[in-house]
Short mmCIF file of all heavy atoms in Angstrom, two decimals:
data_model
loop_
_atom_site.label_atom_id
_atom_site.label_comp_id
_atom_site.label_asym_id
_atom_site.label_seq_id
_atom_site.Cartn_x
_atom_site.Cartn_y
_atom_site.Cartn_z
N ALA A 378 2.16 -5.80 -20.13
CA ALA A 378 1.45 -6.51 -19.06
C ALA A 378 1.20 -7.96 -19.47
O ALA A 378 1.32 -8.88 -18.65
CB ALA A 378 0.13 -5.81 -18.75
N SER A 379 0.90 -8.20 -20.74
CA SER A 379 0.67 -9.56 -21.22
C SER A 379 1.93 -10.39 -21.15
O SER A 379 1.90 -11.57 -20.78
CB SER A 379 0.15 -9.53 -22.66
OG SER A 379 -1.11 -8.89 -22.73
N GLU A 380 3.07 -9.79 -21.53
CA GLU A 380 4.32 -10.54 -21.49
C GLU A 380 4.67 -10.94 -20.06
O GLU A 380 5.16 -12.04 -19.80
CB GLU A 380 5.44 -9.70 -22.09
CG GLU A 380 6.75 -10.47 -22.29
CD GLU A 380 7.76 -9.71 -23.11
OE1 GLU A 380 7.39 -8.71 -23.77
OE2 GLU A 380 8.94 -10.12 -23.10
N ILE A 381 4.40 -10.05 -19.12
CA ILE A 381 4.71 -10.33 -17.72
C ILE A 381 3.74 -11.37 -17.16
O ILE A 381 4.15 -12.34 -16.51
CB ILE A 381 4.62 -9.03 -16.90
CG1 ILE A 381 5.70 -8.06 -17.33
CG2 ILE A 381 4.77 -9.34 -15.40
CD1 ILE A 381 5.48 -6.66 -16.81
N ALA A 382 2.43 -11.19 -17.41
CA ALA A 382 1.43 -12.05 -16.79
C ALA A 382 1.28 -13.40 -17.51
O ALA A 382 1.03 -14.43 -16.86
CB ALA A 382 0.07 -11.33 -16.77
N LEU A 383 1.44 -13.42 -18.84
CA LEU A 383 1.22 -14.65 -19.60
C LEU A 383 2.51 -15.43 -19.83
O LEU A 383 2.49 -16.67 -19.81
CB LEU A 383 0.58 -14.33 -20.96
CG LEU A 383 -0.83 -13.73 -20.91
CD1 LEU A 383 -1.29 -13.36 -22.32
CD2 LEU A 383 -1.81 -14.71 -20.27
N ALA A 384 3.60 -14.74 -20.07
CA ALA A 384 4.86 -15.42 -20.40
C ALA A 384 5.83 -15.47 -19.22
O ALA A 384 6.90 -16.06 -19.32
CB ALA A 384 5.54 -14.74 -21.59
N GLY A 385 5.46 -14.83 -18.11
CA GLY A 385 6.30 -14.89 -16.91
C GLY A 385 7.56 -14.05 -16.99
O GLY A 385 8.53 -14.34 -16.28
N ARG A 386 7.55 -13.00 -17.79
CA ARG A 386 8.73 -12.14 -17.87
C ARG A 386 8.99 -11.48 -16.50
O ARG A 386 8.06 -11.04 -15.84
CB ARG A 386 8.56 -11.06 -18.92
CG ARG A 386 9.75 -10.10 -18.99
CD ARG A 386 9.63 -9.10 -20.11
NE ARG A 386 10.71 -8.12 -20.06
CZ ARG A 386 10.88 -7.14 -20.94
NH1 ARG A 386 10.03 -7.02 -21.97
NH2 ARG A 386 11.87 -6.29 -20.82
N VAL A 387 10.24 -11.44 -16.13
CA VAL A 387 10.66 -10.79 -14.88
C VAL A 387 11.35 -9.47 -15.22
O VAL A 387 12.23 -9.43 -16.09
CB VAL A 387 11.61 -11.69 -14.08
CG1 VAL A 387 12.14 -10.97 -12.85
CG2 VAL A 387 10.90 -12.98 -13.68
N LEU A 388 10.94 -8.39 -14.57
CA LEU A 388 11.52 -7.08 -14.80
C LEU A 388 12.43 -6.70 -13.65
O LEU A 388 12.15 -7.01 -12.49
CB LEU A 388 10.42 -6.03 -14.94
CG LEU A 388 9.45 -6.17 -16.11
CD1 LEU A 388 8.43 -5.05 -16.08
CD2 LEU A 388 10.18 -6.18 -17.44
N SER A 389 13.49 -6.00 -13.96
CA SER A 389 14.37 -5.47 -12.93
C SER A 389 13.83 -4.13 -12.44
O SER A 389 12.97 -3.50 -13.08
CB SER A 389 15.79 -5.28 -13.49
OG SER A 389 15.80 -4.22 -14.45
#
Side-chain angles (χ1 to χ4, degrees):
S379 296
E380 189 169 346
I381 295 166
L383 295 176
R386 177 175 174 179
V387 175
L388 297 180
S389 69

